[in-house]
Amino acid sequence: MPETFLKNDINIKTSEYYTKDDILVFKNYFENGELTKQEIFDNKGNIDYTFEIKDEKIYSIKNSDGQKVSTNKIYYYYYYYYNISHTKESLPLNKIFTFEDYLNSAKNKKEKFSLYDQLDPGQYTYGYRIDTVEAGPTIGQISSDIFSNTVDYLTGVLTNKLISIIAKKLEPIKDLIQYGNDFYSYLKNNFKIEKKKKFQEWRREQKRIYVIHYISNRNGKWIKSWEKIFAIAELHYANVIVEIKGRSYYKYYNYGVYETRSEPAERKEVKRNVKEIKSLNYGNHSKLLLIAKENYFTYINNGTYYVWYEIP
């Protein structure tokens, strides 16, 4: 069964895949639910290759030095769980790497003592996946000073953007406007904010730790059997949002007479992560993997399913 890249989960940001010995194998990046980048790591935690992906196909490959590599042929270096050796094999063009590729690439028949040369049907192993997801709204409060300063900052940014929008709209008739030397400054001096809406929103980001259970089949290959969430840790963060409707007034020369006209514009601006509150182990991947492992073995040994859930 091939790995799923959670195409339909539009809230997912990244997925990190770890061996059962907590070695990071690869990391996927998503935008609007689509896989856009994949980083392959060596067993020391360094990036070996970076794949740029579009429409589920690799269109650009860079090595650890940031140099582009031909997409016609690419070699991966995969390491055994216990660092006994490594194997090298070529994968087909546009092949997106999966955790099963990692497991099964370790079955190198040229190595005399490979742990994976003999696989009886029904054996199992496992790996971890840590998903970072935007998990919806929550509640909180930013201090009045931080909120006020952020609103002032966004108001300035928005004002400049609105004037730029208006200037672009009026560019075709600029010669008919009595503005002097600096058109932008003229519009800015005659710009008025007609309506301003300001508010804060609190949202949650989660680390969801899955354990992926693999079994060996009749052909001695590891195949994915199931996956479950066994631990969740949360980060709460605040965004400040300002919406402005404004209008610039100007003198327009119309058949020998200057008349006052105006041009409206509106826009919304967001300042993200103005404040963050993390749960105790949100950034502690080793601890989260250990908790997930304990809950996983409890589940497979006695059938009790428990998800550890930590909030700030």
Side-chain angles (χ1 to χ4, degrees):
M1 182 188 297
E3 292 289 338
T4 174
F5 295 108
L6 303 181
K7 280 188 61 179
N8 295 324
D9 188 349
I10 61 171
N11 296 316
I12 192 167
K13 297 168 73 174
T14 62
S15 286
E16 301 171 56
Y17 288 76
Y18 292 80
T19 70
K20 63 181 181 181
D21 300 312
D22 303 357
I23 298 173
L24 177 59
V25 180
F26 66 100
K27 183 175 182 177
N28 291 336
Y29 294 81
F30 298 85
E31 292 181 10
N32 299 320
E34 295 291 331
L35 180 65
T36 58
K37 186 171 77 170
Q38 189 174 69
E39 293 173 340
I40 311 295
F41 292 80
D42 62 22
N43 67 341
K44 296 179 181 179
N46 302 312
I47 297 175
D48 239 351
Y49 291 99
T50 300
F51 300 162
E52 301 291 339
I53 298 166
K54 188 174 182 180
D55 298 328
E56 299 185 358
K57 292 184 179 180
I58 298 168
Y59 70 88
S60 174
I61 300 173
K62 292 181 180 178
N63 62 20
S64 56
D65 296 324
Q67 298 173 331
K68 284 195 173 183
V69 179
S70 171
T71 55
N72 292 327
K73 199 171 189 182
I74 181 70
Y75 289 97
Y76 303 104
Y77 291 80
Y78 305 139
Y79 295 82
Y80 296 155
Y81 281 140
Y82 299 100
N83 299 326
I84 289 177
S85 181
H86 68 270
T87 182
K88 180 171 76 175
E89 60 185 57
S90 177
L91 294 184
L93 177 66
N94 289 333
K95 177 71 171 68
I96 296 175
F97 187 50
T98 72
F99 198 77
E100 284 164 316
D101 290 329
Y102 173 84
L103 290 178
N104 290 314
S105 71
K107 286 174 48 58
N108 186 350
K109 296 302 181 182
K110 296 179 182 178
E111 296 286 343
K112 290 184 178 180
F113 304 108
S114 169
L115 293 175
Y116 298 94
D117 276 351
Q118 301 295 327
L119 276 183
D120 296 327
Q123 292 185 44
Y124 79 88
T125 189
Y126 63 94
Y128 303 98
R129 188 179 83 234
I130 299 181
D131 285 355
T132 302
V133 301
E134 293 180 359
T138 185
I139 14 178
Q141 191 66 40
I142 308 173
S143 73
S144 58
D145 287 346
I146 292 176
F147 181 72
S148 178
N149 290 337
T150 307
V151 169
D152 289 343
Y153 165 77
L154 290 178
T155 299
V157 170
L158 270 170
T159 299
N160 289 332
K161 287 186 176 181
L162 291 176
I163 293 167
S164 295
I165 291 171
I166 292 171
K168 189 174 181 180
K169 286 182 181 180
L170 295 177
E171 184 67 29
I173 61 168
K174 189 169 71 170
D175 291 343
L176 297 173
I177 298 174
Q178 189 182 24
Y179 65 88
N181 295 323
D182 190 336
F183 189 53
Y184 185 88
S185 295
Y186 174 79
L187 294 177
K188 186 174 184 178
N189 290 333
N190 291 280
F191 179 82
K192 292 183 179 179
I193 295 174
E194 296 186 326
K195 185 176 182 181
K196 179 163 66 175
K197 183 179 179 183
K198 51 192 178 182
F199 56 95
Q200 57 179 286
E201 64 170 11
W202 279 83
R203 301 191 67 81
R204 293 178 297 140
E205 183 176 281
Q206 291 180 342
K207 300 285 187 184
R208 298 178 180 177
I209 296 79
Y210 295 78
V211 175
I212 313 169
H213 187 84
Y214 294 88
I215 59 172
S216 54
N217 64 10
R218 294 185 300 180
N219 299 320
K221 292 281 189 181
W222 292 112
I223 61 171
K224 180 178 170 182
S225 177
W226 50 265
E227 65 179 33
K228 286 183 179 294
I229 297 177
F230 286 98
I232 299 173
E234 280 193 353
L235 158 74
H236 294 179
Y237 64 95
N239 299 330
V240 173
I241 301 171
V242 176
E243 298 175 354
I244 286 181
K245 290 184 178 181
R247 188 180 294 266
S248 267
Y249 295 83
Y250 58 93
K251 296 290 186 178
Y252 178 78
Y253 188 72
N254 187 23
Y255 296 105
V257 178
Y258 278 103
E259 56 186 50
T260 300
R261 293 187 177 184
S262 65
E263 185 68 35
E266 58 183 272
R267 194 176 177 94
K268 178 172 75 174
E269 197 76 17
V270 182
K271 178 81 170 169
R272 301 186 184 280
N273 292 58
V274 174
K275 184 177 181 181
E276 291 184 352
I277 306 173
K278 296 179 180 179
S279 63
L280 181 63
N281 293 293
Y282 182 84
N284 190 343
H285 285 190
S286 295
K287 177 68 172 180
L288 295 176
L289 293 179
L290 179 62
I291 292 168
K293 177 181 178 180
E294 292 173 351
N295 290 342
Y296 163 69
F297 279 112
T298 298
Y299 176 68
I300 62 174
N301 288 331
N302 62 30
T304 302
Y305 179 51
Y306 173 71
V307 179
W308 181 87
Y309 191 12
E310 181 184 78
I311 61 174

